[in-house]
Every structure is written in structure tokens, then in C-alpha cells.
Amino acid sequence: MFRRIGRFAVHRPWLTIAAWIIAAVALGMLAPGLKATNDETEFLPSHYESVQAAKLQEDAFPHTDQSSATLVFQRTDGGKLDAADVRDVTKVSQGLEAKHYKLVAKVVTAGEKSVSPNREIALAQVVATTKNSYEKDLTDSVKKMREDGKDLIKGTHLKMGITGTAATNLDAQESSGNTDAMVMSATLLLIIVLLLVIFRSPLIAILPVLIIGAVFSVALGLIGTAASLGGLKADPSITAILIVVLFGVGTDYILFLLFRYREQLRAGQQPKEALVEAVARVGETIASAAGAVIAAFLALLLSTMGMMRTWGPSLAISVAVTLIAALTLVPAVFSLLGTKAFWPSKAWKKLPKNRLANSVGSLVSGRPGLMAVLSTAVLAVLAIGAFGFKSDFNTQSQLPQKVESVQAAKDMQKGFSAGQSDPALVYLKSKDGSALSKSTVDGFAAKLGAIDGVDKGHPIAAVMGSHNSVAQYPVVLKYESTDDRAIEIAKGPLRDTAHQAAPEGTQAYVGGTSAVLTDIEKAVNHDYKVVFPVAGLAIMIILGLLLRSLIAPLYLMIAVALGFGATLGATVWLFQDVKGKDGMLFMLPVIVYLFVVAIGTDYNILMVARLREEVRRGVSSREAIRVAVSRSAPTIASAAIILAGSFGVLMISENSMLQQMGFAVAFGILLTAFIMAMLLVPTITSLLGHKAWWPGHQDAPRQTSHASGPAPLREGEQVGRY
């Protein structure tokens, strides 16, 4: 099948290229854009309590404005606020309100009541007309408010900072605002430079970038169409992830094909014949690698998190498009260019010395037992650190500490509780729809106020909803809403007390940011137990179909699991133990799963497929290992360095979340390529010998009607016919 696909693309290149250009232009112009959402409750199933609380808020308080940001005032000299300062706070607040910012209903302060007991801090609340603090118009308004505030406080003794959920979201966006461009630029530069070094050809350095650009346009159009027809919601981060996936996976597949194309040319084949043979030889490998990645991504559909379910099909579509491009568009383009694609280099005419790759191949084949023990030991030691993984939901701890929302939150805590700007929201609802009595409402508030961790200096005042059958209780905690301590209070004491204290005939719901994060943590833990095993099983099935073996997929997945643990463990040691972080990005295991386990499996598949090809030639197991490693090592190393480098650039960011993501993926990809694919997988295969291919016996020597061409050249030998 792959030979037929290759022959069609190679012998009908213009038709193939035209089809891709038409698809890219049509989808780019006609496909609908992605409709993004960042509302956490939309990413959780309806049975979670925080989602039910949000729904109750919409029903019972449809017109209630909500504080989305807090203005924090203090004297420039750090002194006590006097009466004149309080008047200036009111004046500045009124001046900002008069600007009529989008989605901002009002900017209010309570005069002397807004001043902290120690008179060091005064507050004003930015009340929004939307409950979604991620709305772009709202964060833009906060940004303008910061600029306008500088002019309004001139001539006073005050300084002002803005914190709260909308301000934190703004700073999170701005701190990573150039991430997409940074990742894209770094990835393009790495691809171009590395391909230029490997092939010493400007054409080969540029062409993959142009090809993947076309693939990106087609993939994005298909995702947008699928989203529109299927009502799929896309998280804004999907664009950055798509960039890395398409350029990472796309470059991998193009390298797999080009390295084999060059190898066939060096074996003496004509360019078109060599291209067809390259597609035939690595087509099954690329398809199997893509199938494993697609299966892993589609397993995210089983997630309880809407964000995960959104990522799954989007990423699967992008990989499927990349696979089709690798088998059709790439051969078509290089069919037109022939050997001119390698200009001005003539390195394709002779076999390079590749001393390092040959040395690794000889070492692995000569001492497989020692290499297997050493590589397993390295992975196992690193994996120990994974047991110390702690999830961190505190968004402010992930942000650069110099940004305004973080600094203003710290300033506010000089006079108020950290939870002042984003309180937990508890709801008491009458089951039969009857009005709640005052004694019921007040008694419930008293029990909430007695909870350990609730700010006792901020009395809980109930707000009655429609028909007086629902009461809302803003509960100010001592800690910032995304702080681990606030999440623990929402998870335990607050929910336990609210449920137990609800009088007969009523039901209590706990919502707000801390409660949402509690439920997200629960959902993520559930998904780890469901998504990971299903994805692993799907990858094993694909490996089994590729290798016609039950044994090889088993030890390959064990190696993958060990690599996952080693990657997570190394990241935990660096950030929690060395850098002293209280915890790690709670999504980190999923990110490692997506980019290290799923995509990194490509290298294992490439290596095992080449091992099978070599043993089929009838050579000894040791010789097959030596040739497979020495021939595959340059391909794997080049692909891994490109993908790892594009993520590694995130480490220069000041955002701790991006630093963790960048290190984990870069380190994991390099670990997968250089330890697992080059050392562990071939040595285990060598030690198992014939048993590795049971029961299909795919290692049996065989003759094919499609020979790979003339015998391979020796080192330095020229191809005479060109």
C-alpha cells in the first residue's frame, strides 16, 4: 500500500501539490475560526458541585454584578492613610468609573469602611457585568485602568495597584503573551539551522518549514470546521500546542523520510526510485507512529475535563493531516527537485563516517546486558522523584513575582485577608422553592463564619436571590483563592460544614474559584486513572499490529512508562527540591503524557521497525542491532533535538508554569531518544532475541520482490552514476 502511495505522489507531483495548495487556501479562507472559552466551569461535568453552584448563581442572581478586580491603595511613603488620602481614593475610583470601560459596571469604594484596621491599605472594587473574568474586553479594561490610574493619582500621596481574578488573568496572558511567537520563532530557527547542518542544503532547510506551514493551514481549517459542526469549544492554548505538535511531529516524519531517501540514493538508486522506496520502507513506520499518537490523543475524549476533550480531537486531526502530508506532499515536492534538493552539498553521494553513531551501535550490540542495566538504572533513579510530585493550583505563584497583580495582592495582605478579592461563594437553597426565613439565613451564616480559615474580621452578609428561596454567602478566606490552603478549606471544612449545617428542607452548594479548583483536581486525578491506561492499551495494540508480536509491545510500553516516570521525577527534583517550589503545575503529568509519551513513542517505533528490517536480511541479532542503531541514531537525534529545543526555549520565560513545561518536555524527549530508543529498546530486543517477535516471528529472513537497490556503499565511497 505504501509503495503505491509513494509511486502516485512521486510520478504525479504537480497533481499532488495542487491538491494541497487548493485545500490550504480553501480551508484558510472558508473554515470558521475557533471559538475559545476559558471559563473553568465549562470544562467540568455538570455533576460537580462548583458547576451546580455556578448554575444556581446564574438562575437566582442573573443580574447581580460581580467584583472581578480590586484596586489596592497605599501611601507612597508607607505611612498611615489619613482623611485626605481616603478622599483621594474615592476621587480616583470615581474618575476611573467615569471612563466607562467595557464590561465594567462601576468602580466603588466605601470610604472609611474600605480602609484596613491598621490604616495602611484602602480598597476599591471593580464590578463587572460578566461573571467570566477571562473575557478579553474585561482584561483590556483592567489594562487601561492601570494606565489611567497613573494620571489620576498624580498630585496625591497614593500609589495604586490592581489585583483580583481579572488582573491576574491579564498578567498571566501578558507574561506568556509572546509564547506562541517565541515557540514558533525558536522552532523555525532550530529546524532551519539543524537541517542546514545535517544536509548542508538551503533548500532542504527551508522546504520542511513551508510544507508544515501548509499542513498547519489545512489542519487549523479542519479543526475549525469540526468545531463548528460539532459544537466543539477550543481552549486558547490549543494554538500554541498545535504549533509544537505540527512542527515537532511534522519534522520527525519528514526527517524519517529524507534520511531514508538519502540512504537509498547512496545505495545507488535513481532519485524517483529512491523516493518510492523510501516511502515504502518508512511509510508503515510513520503510519504506525502517527497511529500511536492519534490513539493517545483520542484517549483524551474519555477525560471528564472539557479542556482535555477539546485537545484530543484537535491534536488527533493535526497529526492525521501531518501523516498524509508526509506520505504525499513531501515525496511530491522532492520528486520535482530530484538530487538538486541537496545542492550545493554532494554528501548524498557517499556514506559518511558517522563515527559516533557507529560507536554507539557497536557498544549497544557488543554489550547489550550492561547497556540495558545502566539505561534502566538511570530511568529508575530519576523516576523515584515522581513520587514526590505535588500539584499546585496557585496561579500567582506561577507568575513572575514582579507583575502588578502579584505585588498588589501582597500589598493588600498588609491590611486585609488574601481572599478579600475573590471570596468563596456558598449558596443555600430551599428544596421546595419556598422563601428562606431570616433565622435560617442568619444561623447558617454564623456556622460558616466559625470555620477555621475564614476571615473573622469580615462578617458574612447573605444576599437574597430571586423569590428569596436562595441565599448567597460571600465567604472571605484568609488565603488567596488559588492558594493550596484555600483549596483545602473549600474541599474539606467549608463544604463539610455547609452541607451539615444546611437546615432541613434546604441544600447547600459551595462555589467560587477555590471550589472550582477543588473539582478540577478531583477530575484530573480521575482522568489519570482512566485516560493513561486506555491510551497505553491503544498504543500497545498499534505496536502489536505493526510488529505482529505480543512481547515487543509489552516491553516497549514498560520502557515508555519508565520514561514517563523519569521525566516527571527529574522535573520534580529540579523545581521542588532544587528551586524550592511548593508544588508543580497540576497539568504537568498530562503535558508529559501528550508530548513525551505519545510523540516520543515515534523514536521507539522507528528503532524497532529498523531492527525488524535488519534481522529480516538474515544477519545475526548482534549485527542487526549494530546496523539499526548506527543508521537510526542520526535521524532520531536530529528529530529529538528539534522538538526538545522548541520546548526548551520556554525555560527562558519568567513564568514558572512555562519553565516547568519547557524543561519537562525537552528533557523527556531527549531521554526518550537517547536513553530509551538508542540504548534500552535495542538492548532488550537483542537480549530477548527470537522471543521478542513471538508469536508472529517477524524476524524470519525473507526475500522481497522489491529489493532496496544496490548494496550499500562503504564509508567514503562515491556513487559513480551521478
Side-chain angles (χ1 to χ4, degrees):
M1 180 181 74
F2 294 105
R3 187 177 298 278
R4 289 196 298 271
I5 293 172
R7 188 178 292 116
F8 180 90
V10 168
H11 291 289
R12 294 176 177 81
W14 286 114
L15 179 61
T16 304
I17 294 171
W20 274 96
I21 292 175
I22 292 171
V25 173
L27 287 169
M29 294 175 60
L30 303 177
L34 298 179
K35 296 180 180 179
T37 178
N38 265 317
D39 187 351
E40 299 100 323
T41 58
E42 292 189 36
F43 292 132
L44 286 169
S46 59
H47 67 268
Y48 281 98
E49 184 175 343
S50 60
V51 179
Q52 295 174 352
K55 182 67 170 61
L56 186 60
Q57 181 186 31
E58 291 179 7
D59 294 340
F61 303 90
H63 304 297
T64 301
D65 295 331
Q66 182 171 310
S67 175
S68 59
T70 301
L71 310 182
V72 181
F73 296 91
Q74 59 184 317
R75 285 183 62 91
T76 54
D77 59 7
K80 306 289 185 180
L81 295 169
D82 56 27
D85 294 325
V86 176
R87 287 194 295 272
D88 287 335
V89 168
T90 302
K91 182 180 177 182
V92 171
S93 300
Q94 291 173 344
L96 291 173
E97 183 175 354
K99 300 285 186 180
H100 301 295
Y101 301 102
K102 290 183 179 179
L103 298 184
V104 174
K106 52 189 174 182
V107 181
V108 295
T109 184
E112 284 292 339
K113 292 182 179 179
S114 70
V115 181
S116 63
N118 60 10
R119 300 199 67 81
E120 291 185 7
I121 303 295
L123 303 179
Q125 299 299 326
V126 178
V127 180
T129 58
T130 175
K131 295 179 174 64
N132 184 2
S133 59
Y134 288 91
E135 287 272 5
K136 186 178 186 303
D137 284 342
L138 180 59
T139 54
D140 286 346
S141 294
V142 171
K143 185 175 182 178
K144 292 178 183 177
M145 207 173 287
R146 284 174 171 173
E147 297 170 358
D148 294 340
K150 294 175 183 177
D151 294 329
L152 291 172
I153 61 174
K154 285 180 180 178
T156 72
H157 298 289
L158 300 174
K159 62 179 180 177
M160 182 191 83
I162 306 181
T163 188
T165 53
T168 299
N169 294 334
L170 170 64
D171 288 335
Q173 292 166 14
E174 291 190 339
S175 69
S176 59
N178 295 322
T179 300
D180 288 7
M182 182 172 61
V183 170
M184 176 72 87
S185 301
T187 303
L188 293 180
L189 183 62
L190 280 166
I191 291 173
I192 292 170
V193 170
L194 191 54
L195 290 177
L196 194 59
V197 170
I198 295 168
F199 293 99
R200 295 192 287 281
S201 163
L203 270 177
I204 291 184
I206 296 297
L207 279 174
V209 173
L210 299 178
I211 290 170
I212 297 171
V215 172
F216 180 79
S217 177
V218 172
L220 205 59
L222 288 175
I223 292 168
T225 302
S228 177
L229 296 177
L232 187 67
K233 294 177 181 177
D235 182 78
S237 62
I238 195 67
T239 302
I241 295 172
L242 283 176
I243 290 171
V244 177
V245 168
L246 285 170
F247 278 91
V249 172
T251 305
D252 278 4
Y253 298 164
I254 291 173
L255 285 176
F256 290 176
L257 188 65
L258 288 183
F259 270 90
R260 194 54 185 258
Y261 173 44
R262 188 172 65 176
E263 184 178 328
Q264 297 302 132
L265 287 174
R266 287 168 173 168
Q269 288 186 318
Q270 294 287 347
K272 289 185 182 295
E273 182 187 3
L275 263 177
V276 173
E277 190 65 34
V279 175
R281 292 282 178 172
V282 301
E284 186 180 21
T285 300
I286 294 175
S288 299
V293 177
I294 290 170
F297 287 159
L298 288 180
L300 292 175
L301 289 170
L302 299 175
S303 171
T304 56
M305 293 274 290
M307 182 173 60
M308 294 294 125
R309 292 195 302 273
T310 297
W311 283 5
S314 299
L315 295 174
I317 289 171
S318 68
V319 174
V321 174
T322 306
L323 166 64
I324 297 170
L327 298 179
T328 58
L329 182 58
V330 176
V333 170
F334 281 89
S335 173
L336 292 175
L337 295 172
T339 57
K340 295 182 180 66
F342 296 97
W343 181 88
S345 171
K346 298 185 184 299
W348 61 271
K349 292 185 177 182
K350 61 182 180 180
L351 189 68
K353 292 182 170 45
N354 278 340
R355 291 191 179 91
L356 181 58
N358 289 330
S359 298
V360 173
S362 299
L363 180 63
V364 171
S365 62
R367 309 192 71 177
L370 177 61
M371 289 295 99
V373 170
L374 289 177
S375 54
T376 302
V378 169
L379 295 174
V381 169
L382 290 174
I384 293 173
F387 292 102
F389 177 81
K390 297 177 182 176
S391 296
D392 183 9
F393 293 86
N394 191 340
T395 53
Q396 287 197 349
S397 70
Q398 306 292 345
L399 289 173
Q401 295 303 293
K402 66 182 182 182
V403 299
E404 184 172 325
S405 62
V406 174
Q407 290 299 319
K410 290 180 178 178
D411 291 337
M412 185 178 69
Q413 292 174 42
K414 296 176 183 177
F416 295 96
S417 293
Q420 176 86 16
S421 62
D422 188 16
L425 298 174
V426 181
Y427 297 88
L428 186 66
K429 176 186 177 183
S430 171
K431 292 181 179 179
D432 59 6
S434 60
L436 296 171
S437 67
K438 187 177 185 305
S439 60
T440 297
V441 171
D442 294 343
F444 187 71
K447 292 179 180 179
L448 293 178
I451 297 172
D452 188 26
V454 171
D455 181 12
K456 302 301 188 292
H458 195 283
I460 299 174
V463 179
M464 300 308 296
S466 57
H467 307 298
N468 292 326
S469 62
V470 180
Q472 180 191 69
Y473 301 83
V475 180
V476 176
L477 303 180
K478 294 180 179 178
Y479 314 105
E480 206 271 330
S481 61
T482 59
D483 190 288
D484 288 342
R485 292 167 293 185
I487 295 170
E488 286 300 316
I489 292 172
K491 182 195 306 182
L494 185 56
R495 276 189 172 166
D496 291 343
T497 300
H499 296 161
Q500 294 169 8
E504 186 176 351
T506 66
Q507 187 169 358
Y509 302 86
V510 177
T513 302
S514 300
V516 169
L517 293 176
T518 292
D519 290 338
I520 287 178
E521 181 180 21
K522 188 186 299 181
V524 169
N525 290 335
H526 169 271
D527 291 349
Y528 291 161
K529 299 173 184 177
V530 175
V531 175
F532 287 5
V534 170
L537 180 61
I539 293 174
M540 281 187 66
I541 291 173
I542 290 171
L543 290 173
L545 293 174
L546 168 68
L547 304 173
R548 280 77 164 177
S549 166
L550 295 177
I551 303 300
L554 186 61
Y555 69 74
L556 282 173
M557 288 309 299
I558 293 174
V560 166
L562 197 56
F564 173 85
T567 301
L568 196 59
T571 310
V572 168
W573 271 340
L574 175 62
F575 286 91
Q576 285 185 194
D577 298 332
V578 176
K579 291 194 170 185
K581 292 288 182 182
D582 293 330
M584 309 290 293
L585 172 66
F586 73 97
M587 292 283 291
L588 193 62
V590 176
I591 292 168
V592 172
Y593 155 77
L594 286 176
F595 297 107
V596 178
V597 174
I599 297 177
T601 303
D602 290 0
Y603 309 137
N604 292 331
I605 290 175
L606 179 67
M607 180 61 73
V608 174
R610 189 59 190 253
L611 283 170
R612 182 184 61 179
E613 181 181 333
E614 294 304 323
V615 296
R616 283 176 172 178
R617 293 196 297 115
V619 300
S620 66
S621 176
R622 178 170 294 187
E623 175 63 10
I625 294 291
R626 186 193 68 78
V627 174
V629 173
S630 61
R631 293 291 177 87
S632 302
T635 309
I636 292 173
S638 302
I641 289 172
I642 288 175
L643 185 57
S646 64
F647 271 97
V649 117
L650 296 178
M651 294 183 66
I652 66 176
S653 169
E654 294 181 344
N655 190 310
S656 177
M657 177 184 68
L658 297 179
Q659 291 175 0
Q660 293 172 30
M661 185 190 305
F663 173 81
V665 176
F667 183 80
I669 289 293
L670 295 176
L671 202 66
T672 299
F674 290 95
I675 301 296
M676 288 171 55
M678 292 188 197
L679 300 180
L680 184 59
V681 169
T683 53
I684 293 178
T685 305
S686 176
L687 292 171
L688 289 174
H690 186 62
K691 297 184 183 68
W693 310 100
W694 183 87
H697 304 309
Q698 289 291 299
D699 59 330
R702 58 185 65 185
Q703 296 293 328
T704 63
S705 59
H706 302 284
S708 61
L713 300 176
R714 294 179 181 178
E715 291 180 3
E717 185 178 343
Q718 296 279 343
V719 177
R721 71 175 77 173
Y722 299 114

